Each structure stands twice: as structure tokens, then as C-alpha cells.
Amino acid sequence: MRSQVFSLLVDNNPGVLSRIAGLFSRRGYSIDSITAGATTDTRFTRLTVVASGDELILSQIEKQVRKLEDVVDIKVLKDGESVYRELIMIKLRANAAQRGEIISVADIFRAKIVDVEEDSLIIELTGTQSKLEAFLNLLQGYEILELARTGITGLSRGSKDVAYF
């Protein structure tokens, strides 16, 4: 089993995310993460889907998604040929003594402190999944109150395979 990142350009129509998720559900495919957002052209939305499976399953996912009416373009984003990022927000319990230690760790990772309260703080970090996991490992000694992750989003490098519509 391995993970594959798919970048989908889809028509910006109501229900398109539901139809894509439904295809995965009906076929029994696993979605590790899915993100969606606007593009420079309001007619289209970019979806980044991370799925797991063996070679046959990942190939079938690409073929089945490509057949969907709302899918304009699909790319398999490969390591080294693409840029991936994920955002994580972590709310930690932190008294005055712990706050300095946590901020030092955050600085090493170029994380941002986005909220500070008397007994907690919220940290925002953007990067690769491995960077986020390394950061979380260093925070194991602290109490994580809440955590939110966006899932991977990505684009292929260069301009050779940009789809123009």
C-alpha cells in the first residue's frame, strides 16, 4: 500500500465534491485527505485528493475519477516533481513557564503563534507532512487541547503541464 496525490481541476458546480467522495465510497476506495479551493478562474475549483492503495487500486481511482462529468483535468502529483504543503493548528495548554519553551520550539520550525491566552496558545505551522510530524513529536511533553489539519494541497512544478481553459 502506498499513498498517491491527485490534483483535480473540476467545474465549480454544486455537489461536485459530494459526487467525487461518493465515487470513492461506492468503490470502497480510501481517502486519506481531501482539500478544495478556488482557482484564478471562478468557473473551476482545485481539489487535492490523497488516496491509499496498491498500484491497481490507484490506477483505477485515476481512471474512475477521470470519467466524472465535472472533472476537467486530473494530474498525479509525484514526489520531486510537485510541491505539497499542509497547514496544522495546535492549541496547547501552556502556563507562563511553559510558554517560552514552546515558543522556542515553534521558532525552530518557523511556526507562528497566532493566539495567546493565560492558560493556552495556538500555533500555526505550514509544511510537508514530515515537518508537521516532527513538530508534533517535539510537543509530546505538552498537553494538546485541540488540533486541526487541512490535509495536503499541492501543485506540479514548472509550467509544462498547466491546463488552460
Side-chain angles (χ1 to χ4, degrees), residues 93-103 117-121:
R93 184 175 311 282
N95 58 34
Q98 295 173 313
R99 199 170 293 126
E101 299 168 8
I102 294 169
I103 291 171
E117 294 290 328
E118 188 175 316
D119 63 343
S120 67
L121 55 87

Side-chain angles (χ1 to χ4, degrees), residues 17 20-25 28-35 48-52 61:
L17 181 59
I20 290 170
L23 179 140
F24 277 77
S25 176
Y29 300 145
S30 174
I31 296 176
D32 297 335
S33 73
I34 188 166
T35 61
T48 305
V49 180
V50 182
S52 296
I61 289 172

Side-chain angles (χ1 to χ4, degrees), residues 35-134:
T35 61
T39 65
T40 55
D41 187 333
T42 57
R43 298 176 298 161
F44 304 110
T45 297
R46 169 126 7 240
L47 296 173
T48 305
V49 180
V50 182
S52 296
D54 59 26
E55 294 300 321
L56 179 61
I57 288 173
L58 295 172
S59 173
Q60 286 300 310
I61 289 172
E62 182 180 358
K63 290 174 186 171
Q64 294 297 319
V65 169
R66 192 176 299 279
K67 289 180 185 179
L68 291 174
E69 184 177 315
D70 292 314
V71 175
V72 176
D73 187 41
I74 181 171
K75 294 178 193 164
V76 175
L77 299 182
K78 298 177 183 169
D79 285 335
E81 297 176 16
S82 306
V83 177
Y84 313 128
R85 292 293 182 267
E86 183 175 0
L87 169 73
I88 189 170
M89 293 179 70
I90 307 160
K91 184 187 295 182
L92 295 165
R93 184 175 311 282
N95 58 34
Q98 295 173 313
R99 199 170 293 126
E101 299 168 8
I102 294 169
I103 291 171
S104 293
V105 173
D107 286 344
I108 293 168
F109 283 84
R110 294 190 178 120
K112 296 177 186 173
I113 309 300
V114 295
D115 184 65
V116 178
E117 294 290 328
E118 188 175 316
D119 63 343
S120 67
L121 55 87
I122 299 176
I123 301 170
E124 172 188 298
L125 177 62
T126 303
T128 63
Q129 283 189 315
S130 61
K131 179 180 179 179
L132 274 51
E133 293 301 326

